[in-house]
Amino acid sequence: RTAEAAVEHTSEGHVLLPPESRPSLRQLARRYHPDRYRPEPGDGGPGRTLRHAEEAFLLVATAYETLKDEETRKDYDYMLDHPEEYYSHYYHYYSRRLAPKVDVRVVILVTVCAISVFQYFSWWNSYNKAINYLATVPKYRIQATEIAKQQGLLKKAKEKGRSKKSKEETRDEEENIIKNIIKSKIDIKGGYQKPQIRDLLLFQIILAPFHLCSYGAWYCRWIYNFNIKGKEYGEEERLYIIRKSMKMSQSQFDSLEDHQKETFLKRELWIKENYEAYKQEQEEELKKKLANDPRWKRYRRWMKNEGPGRLTFVDD
């Protein structure tokens, strides 16, 4: 059928248009557009009034949207051949209408890259804050200054400052020298450690299969060595069990002092009973410290006498 003939037969509920009828569809859309249509004497068919022109325009627009794409055209042909699959047709129609126009994989990749960039700069900001703080601690500042003097770095900065730079610029350069020495000599662990590219989300996702395989192999070795063969735990395995009992992450556990880890090993905290006894001791010790803390005493006195929900007019 031609495009116009199809519109004239829409009362039967069929719009059967081949792809080559698109120019005719555009002409019909221009003809029956509500803003442009002017009924003429002798007009017949669905376009004889403005209301019928609007209906014809909607049908033409729907036909064009359906037939312009090969996939939607296949769905339409399938609908004509299988009219009994009513809900399936609705699902296919709205899934195509509401499907995102941009590839989801591209969106996910861009999102992961953006998060990784934010992570990288955020971690560098935290690391620089930690270095700036350590540069104000007398213990580290004095050591860094002594190392700078031994290497002659401060002397060179002062000699350069006499000829070209002002006192403020020389002071800033000396401060940067001290900070660089602290960076090279100190090993910060935990949340303020130096950022590593492998810790970013993007690289974690890329290396996820490798990490899963490594963990699977490590777990199998653990089961074979300690559950089946009954070997004794080594120092690394003992520290791992202690860390899991304390519910600490690897970075948190690494930030502990070496003498604390030695204490854990001496008390054999990888054994469940020993760890429970140690945990009870720590809780009792914490209660004693809080009981003797003046600020905690004031807080308990305030909670007992005043409380957070009581309105008072006491000046202090």
Side-chain angles (χ1 to χ4, degrees):
R1 301 176 183 177
T2 62
E4 190 166 0
V7 174
E8 291 175 355
H9 289 82
T10 50
S11 60
E12 300 177 3
H14 300 287
V15 183
L16 303 175
L17 293 173
E20 57 269 15
S21 298
R22 292 178 188 175
S24 301
L25 285 172
R26 296 192 189 96
Q27 292 176 6
L28 286 173
R30 286 193 293 269
R31 176 180 174 184
Y32 293 120
H33 196 284
D35 295 336
R36 300 182 62 181
Y37 178 73
R38 296 294 181 271
E40 298 178 0
D43 273 355
R48 61 183 180 271
T49 64
L50 183 60
R51 182 174 65 83
H52 289 110
E54 292 178 357
E55 294 176 358
F57 176 78
L58 292 175
L59 288 171
V60 170
T62 304
Y64 182 78
E65 289 295 326
T66 302
L67 299 175
K68 72 176 183 178
D69 183 72
E70 184 178 354
E71 295 296 328
T72 55
R73 200 158 55 242
K74 287 181 180 178
D75 287 345
Y76 183 74
D77 292 338
Y78 184 82
M79 180 193 71
L80 295 178
D81 296 335
H82 303 83
E84 71 280 0
E85 299 181 14
Y86 184 79
Y87 294 104
S88 177
H89 302 325
Y90 264 97
Y91 169 74
H92 287 295
Y93 173 74
Y94 283 107
S95 64
R96 292 194 183 279
R97 287 290 300 271
L98 302 177
K101 304 301 180 184
V102 183
D103 192 347
V104 177
R105 292 170 294 181
V106 176
V107 175
I108 294 175
L109 179 61
V110 172
T111 304
V112 170
C113 291
I115 294 174
S116 300
V117 171
F118 176 78
Q119 279 183 325
Y120 185 73
F121 286 104
S122 176
W123 287 346
W124 266 112
N125 185 41
S126 299
Y127 177 71
N128 289 328
K129 283 183 178 179
I131 295 298
N132 292 335
Y133 169 75
L134 293 174
T136 61
V137 178
K139 174 184 175 181
Y140 301 109
R141 188 176 184 86
I142 292 171
Q143 292 179 5
T145 304
E146 291 297 326
I147 294 173
K149 289 179 179 179
Q150 293 174 4
Q151 296 179 357
L153 298 176
L154 294 179
K155 186 177 181 181
K156 291 179 181 178
K158 290 180 180 179
E159 290 176 355
K160 291 181 180 178
R162 291 173 186 171
S163 56
K164 298 180 180 179
K165 300 179 182 178
S166 62
K167 291 183 178 179
E168 186 175 351
E169 292 174 340
T170 304
R171 196 180 304 113
D172 292 339
E173 187 173 349
E174 292 176 354
E175 188 72 19
N176 290 331
I177 290 171
I178 292 173
K179 289 179 181 178
N180 289 332
I181 292 174
I182 292 175
K183 287 180 182 179
S184 62
K185 297 296 181 181
I186 200 167
D187 183 20
I188 301 176
K189 296 179 181 179
Y192 292 91
Q193 65 184 0
K194 189 175 182 179
Q196 303 290 333
I197 294 180
R198 64 174 180 270
D199 295 331
L200 298 178
L201 177 62
L202 178 61
F203 290 91
Q204 288 291 314
I205 293 175
I206 294 173
L207 298 174
F210 171 75
H211 290 317
L212 287 174
C213 294
S214 300
Y215 177 76
W218 173 86
Y219 187 75
C220 291
R221 286 198 304 269
W222 183 284
I223 297 294
Y224 177 74
N225 290 328
F226 304 115
N227 291 10
I228 297 176
K229 297 186 70 175
K231 288 184 178 180
E232 291 188 3
Y233 295 126
E235 182 176 332
E236 184 178 351
E237 289 78 15
R238 292 171 180 176
L239 290 175
Y240 172 78
I241 296 173
I242 294 170
R243 179 173 68 83
K244 286 299 181 181
S245 300
M246 293 182 173
K247 298 179 180 180
M248 299 176 68
S249 65
Q250 185 66 50
S251 59
Q252 289 175 328
F253 195 76
D254 291 341
S255 62
L256 297 177
E257 299 291 339
D258 292 337
H259 66 85
Q260 290 178 292
K261 297 178 182 179
E262 291 175 2
T263 303
F264 298 158
L265 293 173
K266 286 180 181 178
R267 299 198 58 173
E268 299 182 350
L269 297 187
W270 65 89
I271 301 173
K272 186 176 180 180
E273 293 77 11
N274 295 344
Y275 175 74
E276 293 296 333
Y278 172 80
K279 184 178 178 181
Q280 183 114 23
E281 290 177 11
Q282 293 297 311
E283 291 176 355
E284 293 294 332
E285 187 176 348
L286 179 62
K287 288 180 182 179
K288 290 180 182 179
K289 286 183 179 179
L290 292 176
N292 296 326
D293 188 358
R295 289 180 296 179
W296 181 247
K297 288 181 179 179
R298 287 197 300 269
Y299 175 73
R300 286 187 300 171
R301 211 162 35 240
W302 174 77
M303 288 292 292
K304 181 179 179 181
N305 298 330
E306 307 293 340
R310 183 176 175 183
L311 180 64
T312 62
F313 295 93
V314 181
D315 292 338
D316 58 353

